[in-house]
Amino acid sequence: MPRKKLTARRHTLSHRVRYALRHPARVPRYAVRAGRDAWLRFRSPDHIAYYRAVMRSDTAASPDAAVGSQSHERWLALGAMQFDYLAGHGLRPEHRMLEIGCGNLRAGWRFIDHLDTGHYYGIDISPDILFAAQDTLVRCGLREKLPTLTPVRDLTFAFLPDAYFDVVHAHSVFSHSPLPVIEECFAHVGRILAPGGWFDFTFDRTEAEEHHVLREDFYYRTETLTALAEKHGLSARFMEDWEELPHGQSKIRVTHGPAAARRPGERLDGGETVSGAAPV
Ligand SMILES: C[S@@+](CC[C@H](N)C(=O)[O-])C[C@H]1O[C@@H](n2cnc3c(N)ncnc32)[C@H](O)[C@@H]1O
């Protein structure tokens, strides 16, 4: 299981020097990536445009690696881990799901297979990875499930309907997002989340100073993200059971906050109901 390095201060020079001494073989690749990223940042100072350019470059080399899997076996395993977790938390075929940063459907193809026709909606800032997602759909024989795959410029969800999605999911997306992007999502996700729905996202957790590496990887303290969600009227809780899985990131679940009115018997948080009746 990858141990979470919660106190590493990756942005400091001393950390980078120590890391280079421990892993000299990785230095040339890091140097090439740092040079490429500096050039892309120069051309696209806006974070979304910059990260879209990173994805374009990475997807051209390998769509699986672009979403963080160094082999197809890892791609399959990481998708299965996401699917099994949500299925274990009550994801049902009739649910409507929005996947933010769906990539090339590493987990998405499993969600599409599980959900009723037309119930999966994937969005991403990268048209290139969405083309790769279409290839995954064809390869997995899932055309008939008619999922929607849409490029987006931001996370305001302006074109999506109110109270529509039972489950919103963002795996390894906020680990690549500066705080204003996450806040934009929190400011708008409550509108599209169905009553009783839930929004799970992973993040790179630190217990030291918050930092980023090459503006590609962002590390946050749990309380920063839970407080930000609460500022936008949402409830947020750290998912302890995700920590048991072999994954380097942590997970938070966001639901409508206590202020949102709920009807008796309405599902809460993907399971229990207001009345306490067993979930169906
Ligand atoms: C590491 S990949 C993970 C993809 C997918 N969630 C998975 O687990 O396979 C991150 C994805 O999020 C997308 N992304 C990054 N920032 C985004 C944003 N602000 N809005 C939507 N998608 C974003 C990237 O283009 C990329 O496809």
Side-chain angles (χ1 to χ4, degrees):
M1 171 180 314
R3 245 175 349 105
K4 293 181 174 57
K5 298 188 181 74
L6 298 178
T7 53
R9 303 173 78 239
R10 297 167 190 80
H11 57 306
T12 59
L13 184 61
S14 57
H15 176 91
R16 281 185 275 178
V17 169
R18 277 199 311 277
Y19 187 86
L21 291 174
R22 272 203 315 275
H23 307 284
R26 295 185 194 170
V27 172
R29 228 183 62 192
Y30 177 86
V32 169
R33 195 159 186 105
R36 180 205 66 174
D37 284 6
W39 169 241
L40 295 179
R41 274 198 307 277
F42 171 72
R43 286 187 24 171
S44 314
D46 160 66
H47 176 79
I48 297 296
Y50 158 66
Y51 203 72
R52 185 179 292 127
V54 168
M55 286 301 292
R56 163 160 283 198
S57 163
D58 286 355
T59 303
S62 156
D64 288 2
V67 298
S69 293
Q70 293 312 319
S71 70
H72 195 62
E73 288 65 37
R74 288 297 303 149
W75 187 88
L76 288 169
L78 246 295
M81 186 188 301
Q82 296 177 50
F83 176 76
D84 291 346
Y85 184 84
L86 268 191
H89 278 250
L91 178 70
R92 297 195 306 267
E94 67 271 25
H95 280 145
R96 293 187 183 123
M97 178 174 188
L98 172 69
E99 192 170 20
I100 299 171
C102 60
N104 67 339
L105 301 180
R106 180 167 58 169
W109 76 267
R110 297 174 191 271
F111 295 134
I112 292 164
D113 196 27
H114 177 69
L115 294 170
D116 290 344
T117 297
H119 280 219
Y120 176 92
Y121 207 107
I123 60 175
D124 204 290
I125 54 168
S126 165
D128 297 272
I129 202 70
L130 290 174
F131 298 147
Q134 292 174 353
D135 296 339
T136 302
L137 265 190
V138 174
R139 207 173 57 239
C140 296
L142 289 165
R143 284 187 280 237
E144 280 67 27
K145 298 304 281 280
L146 216 62
T148 304
L149 301 172
T150 301
V152 290
R153 281 187 297 252
D154 56 42
L155 291 179
T156 59
F157 316 117
F159 59 99
L160 293 172
D162 288 1
Y164 188 79
F165 293 102
D166 302 291
V167 179
V168 179
H169 191 239
H171 181 96
S172 272
V173 180
F174 290 172
S175 45
H176 304 295
S177 303
L179 211 52
V181 170
I182 301 176
E183 177 155 21
E184 179 177 69
C185 178
F186 288 164
H188 295 94
V189 74
R191 182 185 64 77
I192 59 165
L193 200 57
W198 75 97
F199 167 33
D200 280 6
F201 64 86
T202 61
F203 67 107
D204 272 324
R205 179 158 64 103
T206 183
E207 287 178 355
E209 199 184 328
E210 298 185 342
H211 58 280
H212 67 81
V213 178
L214 301 177
R215 293 199 73 75
E216 277 202 46
D217 301 312
F218 292 78
Y219 293 79
Y220 295 109
R221 298 173 70 89
T222 303
E223 49 283 18
T224 298
L225 299 181
T226 53
L228 196 60
E230 281 154 18
K231 176 179 160 194
H232 290 282
L234 303 163
S235 291
R237 87 176 148 98
F238 186 78
M239 301 306 280
E240 291 289 353
D241 60 349
W242 176 264
E243 296 295 296
E244 291 156 22
L245 299 174
H247 194 266
Q249 297 181 14
S250 293
K251 191 184 281 276
I252 287 177
R253 175 163 298 174
V254 162
T255 53
H256 285 293
R262 293 191 182 98
R263 295 182 301 274
E266 188 175 288
R267 278 183 310 106
L268 287 170
D269 198 12
E272 57 187 294
T273 61
V274 172
S275 66
V280 287

